[in-house]
Amino acid sequence: MKIKIYPILKVTAAVVLLSCASSCKKMYDVQPENVVEAKNTYQNIYDADAAVTGVYGKLLNIAGQYEVMNELRADLMDVTPNAGADLQQINTHAVQAGNAYADPTPFYAVILNCNDVMKNLKVMFDTQKLTAADYNQRWSDVAALRSWLYFQLGIHYGTIPYVTESVSNINDVKDPAKYPRITLDQLVKTLITFMEALPYKDPYPAANSLVTQIDGYPSKMFYVNKNCLLGDLYLWNNDYHKAAMTYKTVMETSTPNGPSDSYNYYNTYTLNSGSDNDAVSAGAWQTFFSRSMQDREYQTEWIWSMVFDKAFAPENPFINLFANSGGKYLVKPSQNAIDNWNAQRQSDGTPFDFRGPNNTYKIVNGQPVIMKFLYNYVSASTGLPADLLAKNGRWYIYRTATLHLRYAEAANRDGQTKIAWALVNAGIKGAYDDTSNPDPTQRRITNLPFPYDFDARKLDAPTIRGKFHRNLGIRARVNTTSLDVTLQQTANMLPMEDKIIDEGALELAYEGNRWQDLMRIANRRGDPAFLADKVYNKLLKDGNPAAATVRAKLMDKANWFLPFK
Amino acid sequence: MCVFTRIKIFATCGAICLLTAAFAQEKTAASPGSEVKKIVNGYTVTGLVTDAATHKPLSGVNVAVQDVAAVITDDKGAFKITVPSKTSVLQVSIQGYQYKEVAVNSRGTINVALYEDGFNSVYDQVTLPFSKQTKAQLNYAVSGINNTESSWSHSHETIDNSMQGQVSGLNVIRRSGTPGVGANLFLHGFNSINATNQPLYVIDGVIYDAASYGNSIIDGHVNNPLAAIDIKDIDNITVIKDGASFYGSRGANGVILITTAHARELTTRIDFAAYGGYNFTPKNIPVLNGSDYRLYLSDVLRSSGLTDAQIQAKPYMNDDPSNPTYYQYHNSTDWQKKTFNQSFNQNYYLKITGGDNIAKYALSVGYLKNGGVIDSTNLQRYSTRFNADLNLTPKLTANTNLSFASSEQSLKDQSLSATNPMLVSLIKAPFLSDRQVSATGVQSPNLADVDAFNVSNPAALIKNGQQVSKYYRFTGTIKFGYQFNKHHSLTSVTGLTYDKVRENVFIPRLGVAPDTLSNAVAYSHLGASIQRYNSFYNDTWYSFKQTFSGEQDLQLNAGFRYHNSQSEQDYAQGYNSSTDDFVSIGNGVTNLRQLSGGYGKWIWLNTYASANYSLKHKYFLSANLSVDGSSRFGSEIPNALTIGGSKYAVLPSVAAGWLISSEEFLSHSTIIDLLKLRASYGLTGNDDIGNFNTKSYYTSQNLLGAQGLVLNNIANPQLQWELSKKINLGLDAALFNERLTFSLDVYHNATSKMVMFEPLLSGSGMTSVISNSGAMHTNGADLSLNARLINNSTIKFDAGINISTYRNRVNALPADNMLTNYGGATLITQVGQPLAMFYGFQSNGVYSSTADASAAHLSVRSTDGSLVPFKAGDVRFTDVNKDGVIDNSDRMIIGNPNPDFVGSINGRFSWKNISLSALFTFSSGNDIYNAPRAILQSLSSPANQFGNIVNRWRFEGQVTDVPRATYGDPMGNTRFSNRFIEDGSYIRLRTLAINYNLPVKPKFMKYAIVYITADNLFTATRYQGYDPEFSATGSPLTQGIDTALEPQFRTVQLGLRIGL
């Protein structure tokens, strides 16, 4: 009955409405006035800039999750009694459904916008609303950020949907074909191809309108470094030479400026103490995390970092994670991490590494507190905040030390173990200062082709200042003793690689690299125990009864990944 | 552009109407003989008309057959009339008596007994969108309320409140006791989860949007646009309960048609009324007194780890009068008495009606000031209305309805907020004073500051806090009618609405516990908000009426309705003005100021056609068709009518009625006056699906202070109206000359395409999309029964009962189940169950001893992952999944907020000039979550507690149902459980009214009536809160959750009404 009546009704209705058909379509097209409808955006360069700004604004939402996934799953971070079920599950690799820290949605929320921005920038370029340069720079930036997010997702979830189309319509959202799933290996290869093809791989040039000051912070620090990411992808894919070349390109970022721009030229990403001096003090090392983003010392060390400011949303997630005053104190340094620092020696023989106590962590009110992210919130001396609610802070993602350690890893695997040794220990000038060579102009220089060409010479007659004359090894910069000199030998490539990873624990703890580093090596060596043992040791030292179960679980590579829901 | 489009629409639609009219003209021309002619082969009927009470004959009664014949009864009440057929209907009317229709039904003699005017009759007229009809002829489930008399005795009520208990199937739940705040109405249960469940209001032919756009910045407050209408201006109300599809995609929740009063006669009449009333404070909730509280306090502090010595050292534990703080902590304050205040109502009203043949007018002005029971709260309203009827030419008429109301309301924060003085007064330590107390015990006039437990001083919230809402609404309606001839007419109604709510909020620094924002401490709070709503409405239709030979009546209507609405809210919140004297928003600290708002605009075009056909006055058939377009509908709705690229909702309905009592086999029944069976089936819709969800749009995203744009939503171009299919079967009967009448309806409402937040895959980057992915149905039955128990010339006694029941069941959801949280309660909506059931923990007493507790082997998991076992004195929760740990997976359905049945009992007794009427309302079987009691029985903080806390578990082996005091509640004894679910059944004497008609000399004045009325005189309930009736929002997901709103209170009023 219904079937018979319906067409009649429709015909009747159609006749009645026919005459207003022409005007009706426009009539129902009501414009929202407090939001921007899709068709009205992406009209000019300001819209393009707003789109990129929006993507980075959204990126801040994943900071806390990024930190937890990359550090708590590895061996340097442990939960406190306040942690609650979600963090405990992450810590013991037993994630259950509904765990907020294991939800990939916030990552895809940024990816959704990346895809949308990329699609629309392309449309703007095709319709001559953007110049080629403006288009290439912005499109490449957003494309690289998306790749970085996917790489993170791949590392943590294994097989993931790789969505590159803009999905803003319900029909697309429900179409399973729009969510092709690929494995981590496939993903890395796909991303390498994609990143290699980017039309623009450098940082935004100073003339770009996105390089500006935002509320007193230099925005150039906020954007992803495409070559660092590409290098990391190569390294993951065991393309060591390509990785080394890409990392070296980043180290040479300031080279086109020439020596006349002396501070930048000699200091940018060369790993130094800011002057020709050999080591930094404990206090100076701390200033990498506490000093103003405007300082040149900050800008020559940091490649990518973002800001949480008390005046703006979102709220700094690190306060709740780390601080025991003003925060919830959910995580703390593992005993394993503390032991690592305590096992080091200063060059004067003191058993101590100042990167650990009172710098990376501090005992505040009797509790070990991870301080790295809190220096813009608490007083460095007391560990207590002056204003509980002034939750300023940074999100530290990539810096020179990260770059040098990754480069060292690539060089080591590429047959350049000595260069790796040099960069980890006392720098090129220390390792290549061949006093047996009578010609001082031939000392402190590697005389190797790119990417292993380092010039660390510093001579007054004739006046020679090598680009890398201020370069220090990671260890010499903080005044710790050098590693055994035999590790320079190519034959000791594997032990050297171990040391590079160990150095990462000391230098880069809690900066979001640890899980990636452990997994990369374990993966490369086909040795799950490399990863499993480190996590086991952490849990064991922290007295977690699940330690053995977790080790057994992590011996199966499939269990390295979080469940993708 | 917009104007041009509008003109185009009118032009085209007008053209359609004219074309149709021309077509219809042609048709009538082709069928001659339809004009009234002399009755040939008539049938003669004789009879007698008497007064039903005195049995005396009535002379001068008009007895008529519509458009055909009319006679008047003689001195003996007798009449003789020739009617066209044996199935004709006699219309019997005379001023001062009821209107009645009597089917001839092959009878030669018909005796009619009439009741007085105002008698609740099955022949009462009800107003429908295109006409007035007697209830006896209706096919639809419709109830009418003739407000004339009762509105004068309930002068302080709002329209929505006044409908409580009046209509079966309409569940009116008053939002709170706050004057003017109104009610949430649920007609035949629920029809939607996320869209509105409130019926559509149509006042004088124009849709009256009674929704509140935007949120009040005053906690727990809702602006009620219906409060802008003075109840005494209302002539009648019609409630359409089934799927009549008169209003297409806006009618799913039923339609309430309200007609305001116009002048009835040409002579000038002046009505004046004045009322005064008194509001009683509610009964206190029992809380601990000073000494019991001190004992509890030391218990709870001890459980926090303090030693006895440390506790004794606290200033409030000191018992030495020489101590400087002794007097500060040794008071006995009844904080509830400090918060509640007896208050007064007053209310004045003047109405003048009159006119001449060309123009009639009704002008009314009103003022009221209703006090609330929370100290310093009140509502003041001025209202005025001008209704006019103009006969411009013999064929062209015009009617206008202009009304303007403006109100100012002083409020206090309500709901579960730390600034709700009512809630604070319950938890405030009784040994403190609201004033500062010196070391020698002298009270200062200054208010006391926040106490040692960081609890605000309720007196500071009341005296220095400001929550003011200013509201005005203008509605103007003009209606033109053109009668081409007896059969054809064209009518057009145009309405304009301007509505504005302005709110200001100030929470002072002194005496109020500071709040913590994400980046600052808020010592004082300032807020300002403006909500605006404008609309333009036009309804134009063509009518055709024809009576055919063979006793057939046909009425056709076709037209369109256009509604363009716009709403906007802008608000600002500020903090920390320099002193409590700076109360306006501009004085807050600059970098803490937050600005926000919302905007909505939507256009709705409804094209409709309706046909009513009756055969022999006993078979009735109606059909309606509505075709709706809306800016809210998507452009890719599957299987929808498409015209010019836009999608339309096609919503038809049919209804049929059979007047069994007009069949010959019942013609000589002495028992049955009227027996009618009716059935209707219809599709209606709900267009409350959001304004812009069909489009993809961008919102602002900051990166520090720089603003960027990000995608806000997943567009759903398939988004459509919710579809509501309604089947209704009804039986109406009048027995024993209408001494007993009843009406029974059973219905099945099925909502499909219900708007839900459909969860999305993580890979999409959004958590949900708004889609039409839900379905549910409601079955129910309504009964209304009225009887005249005593009927003689001096005493009349009427009694009636309305009772209705419904059962709701969810049939489809985008996910297995849906959990929602409101006011501390968790509700589950799952397929196969009624929507929104309380979902929490089952408790079963308290562990009396350590052995008892350890035998249960139950624990909770603490934040460090360890298991903490329950101890003696903890609540015994049921371990549903038997894993030994009480956690979220042990939740179950612990209550149902839906009532088993609701209804009312009314009675009216009149003796000579005095009449007494009473209305009882009741609700049975509904569960309530008593959230304030969950706070008052938490036993986990220094907050004052519910009286029965004295029975708390204190020693090994003690058998009690009140758990031990544990600071911070580590075991979760206060978790959402059936401990705080209570039976919300109640029966209440809702109103009691006595009218005394003073004997006056007609020369001096027409009449004078004294009213004594009382509201909420008594309520029988087991509910332990202030009152079991409240409804925080109109959503079905929040019903039955007590969020500490101002309770209903008892009011007594005295009023005088005189007519000149």
Side-chain angles (χ1 to χ4, degrees), chain A residues 234-513:
Chain A
Y234 282 136
L235 191 59
W236 192 278
N237 203 38
N238 303 337
D239 292 337
Y240 306 115
H241 193 70
K242 280 185 181 168
M245 287 200 295
T246 316
Y247 288 132
K248 188 71 190 341
T249 309
V250 182
M251 289 184 200
E252 304 287 355
T253 301
S254 63
T255 306
N257 296 350
S260 59
D261 182 10
S262 66
Y263 189 90
N264 277 327
Y265 179 77
Y266 292 115
N267 291 284
T268 300
Y269 310 156
T270 55
L271 199 94
N272 54 72
S273 59
S275 67
D276 292 351
N277 295 331
D278 274 356
V280 296
S281 65
W285 192 81
Q286 193 181 84
T287 62
F288 288 141
F289 306 97
S290 59
R291 72 187 319 146
S292 162
M293 230 181 210
Q294 303 287 7
D295 293 351
R296 58 185 191 178
E297 292 85 350
Y298 186 93
Q299 297 185 5
T300 52
E301 175 72 13
W302 283 99
I303 300 173
W304 187 16
S305 62
M306 298 192 74
V307 173
F308 290 101
D309 186 289
K310 63 174 180 178
F312 302 105
E315 190 182 307
N316 183 349
F318 301 120
I319 309 295
N320 267 350
L321 277 178
F322 300 134
N324 66 349
S325 173
K328 291 183 183 153
Y329 188 52
L330 303 173
V331 292
K332 62 177 185 186
S334 69
Q335 190 56 47
N336 190 45
I338 292 172
D339 291 348
N340 287 344
W341 284 301
N342 290 344
Q344 304 302 313
R345 276 175 190 280
Q346 294 283 286
S347 48
D348 63 5
T350 333
F352 178 58
D353 183 338
F354 67 61
R355 290 173 294 185
N358 287 322
N359 262 337
T360 299
Y361 77 94
K362 186 182 181 75
I363 306 295
V364 181
N365 294 335
Q367 293 169 320
V369 172
I370 295 171
M371 290 288 285
K372 239 179 198 174
F373 289 77
L374 300 180
Y375 285 109
N376 291 289
Y377 176 61
V378 297
S379 145
S381 53
T382 62
L384 300 174
D387 178 352
L388 287 175
L389 296 170
K391 295 179 182 172
N392 292 319
R394 310 265 165 78
W395 179 16
Y396 295 119
I397 311 173
Y398 218 102
R399 63 182 166 113
T400 302
T402 327
L403 175 70
H404 281 235
L405 283 167
R406 297 264 162 88
Y407 173 85
E409 186 183 323
N412 181 34
R413 282 275 175 178
D414 199 25
Q416 300 293 343
T417 305
K418 184 175 177 186
I419 288 192
W421 189 90
L423 292 181
V424 173
N425 281 300
I428 298 295
K429 67 180 171 195
Y432 286 85
D433 196 5
D434 182 5
T435 44
S436 63
N437 193 328
D439 179 1
T441 64
Q442 287 307 310
R443 294 181 200 155
R444 299 185 173 190
I445 186 164
T446 57
N447 285 321
L448 290 168
F450 184 80
Y452 302 113
D453 53 333
F454 287 94
D455 177 358
R457 293 173 295 170
K458 183 194 173 198
L459 290 169
D460 289 331
T463 305
I464 296 177
R465 292 286 185 274
K467 159 94 178 156
F468 285 87
H469 79 272
R470 287 181 172 178
N471 167 252
L472 290 167
I474 306 272
R475 293 181 70 81
R477 186 163 74 157
V478 294
N479 218 5
T480 43
T481 51
S482 282
L483 299 171
D484 194 307
V485 77
T486 59
L487 290 170
Q488 288 187 10
Q489 296 159 11
T490 317
N492 282 332
M493 188 261 284
L494 281 180
M496 185 63 220
E497 190 170 73
D498 289 346
K499 290 295 176 192
I500 293 169
I501 297 304
D502 290 350
E503 196 59 34
L506 302 167
E507 176 74 23
L508 305 176
Y510 315 123
E511 290 171 37
N513 302 295

Side-chain angles (χ1 to χ4, degrees), chain A residues 36 81 84 88 116 171 215 565, chain B residues 519 698 705 711 718 762 863-864:
Chain A
V36 182
Q88 283 159 15
D116 184 67
N171 300 323
D215 297 290
K565 205 194 106 279
Chain B
N519 58 353
Y698 290 77
L711 261 182
Q718 298 174 1
S762 314
T863 55
D864 66 357

Side-chain angles (χ1 to χ4, degrees), chain A residues 2 5-6 9-14 16-39 41-42 47 49-51 53-58 60-61 80-85 88 103-105 108-110 112-113 116-117 120 161 163 166-171 173-174 179 214-215 217 222-223 306-315 387 389-391 564-565, chain B residues 1 5 8-9 12-13 16 516-521 559 562 566 591 597-608 624-625 627-632 636 639-641 643-648 650-652 681 683 692 695-699 701-718 723 725 758 760-767 769-771 773 861-866:
Chain A
K2 190 178 162 190
I5 285 178
Y6 240 79
L9 292 176
K10 281 188 181 177
V11 169
T12 318
V16 173
L17 281 166
L18 204 62
S19 51
C20 78
S22 59
S23 60
C24 282
K25 195 172 183 185
K26 269 185 190 161
M27 181 179 90
Y28 296 129
D29 190 12
V30 169
Q31 303 284 319
E33 292 185 16
N34 58 337
V35 291
V36 182
E37 218 185 307
K39 65 183 183 197
T41 184
Y42 294 108
D47 292 347
D49 286 355
T53 304
V55 166
Y56 278 94
K58 245 187 148 57
L60 285 175
N61 293 330
T80 69
N82 309 327
Q88 283 159 15
D103 180 9
T105 313
Y108 278 98
V110 189
L112 170 75
N113 280 291
D116 184 67
V117 175
N120 286 295
V163 187
S166 172
V167 184
S168 57
N169 179 305
I170 190 167
N171 300 323
V173 168
K174 288 181 173 174
Y179 302 95
I214 302 178
D215 297 290
Y217 302 100
F222 300 166
Y223 305 114
M306 298 192 74
V307 173
F308 290 101
D309 186 289
K310 63 174 180 178
F312 302 105
E315 190 182 307
D387 178 352
L389 296 170
K391 295 179 182 172
F564 188 92
K565 205 194 106 279
Chain B
M1 175 66 210
T5 318
K8 261 209 299 198
I9 298 158
T12 43
C13 293
I16 300 167
T516 307
L517 308 173
S518 70
N519 58 353
V521 176
Y562 172 81
Q566 222 176 322
N591 62 14
Y599 176 85
K601 183 176 179 183
W602 62 105
I603 287 165
W604 178 73
L605 180 72
N606 159 259
T607 312
Y608 57 88
N624 278 292
L625 174 67
V627 179
D628 291 23
S630 167
S631 62
R632 290 170 168 178
E636 295 170 20
N639 305 322
L641 171 69
I643 300 165
S646 302
K647 299 286 180 178
Y648 290 85
V650 179
L651 302 166
Y681 170 85
L683 299 181
F692 308 118
K695 295 173 181 177
S696 172
Y697 56 86
Y698 290 77
T699 47
Q701 164 71 53
N702 74 301
L703 172 66
L704 302 173
Q707 294 298 326
L709 277 182
V710 289
L711 261 182
N712 182 72
N713 65 331
I714 300 284
N716 183 357
Q718 298 174 1
L723 185 65
K725 188 170 29 173
E758 184 172 348
L760 290 174
L761 297 168
S762 314
S764 68
M766 293 272 175
T767 50
V769 63
I770 295 173
S771 71
S773 48
R861 201 171 283 282
S862 74
T863 55
D864 66 357
S866 60

Side-chain angles (χ1 to χ4, degrees), chain B residues 103-126:
Chain B
V104 172
N105 203 1
S106 312
R107 288 176 290 179
T109 312
I110 293 172
N111 294 329
V112 183
L114 297 179
Y115 294 98
E116 76 285 356
D117 200 4
F119 174 75
N120 188 353
S121 162
V122 289
Y123 303 107
D124 283 346
Q125 296 233 318
V126 290

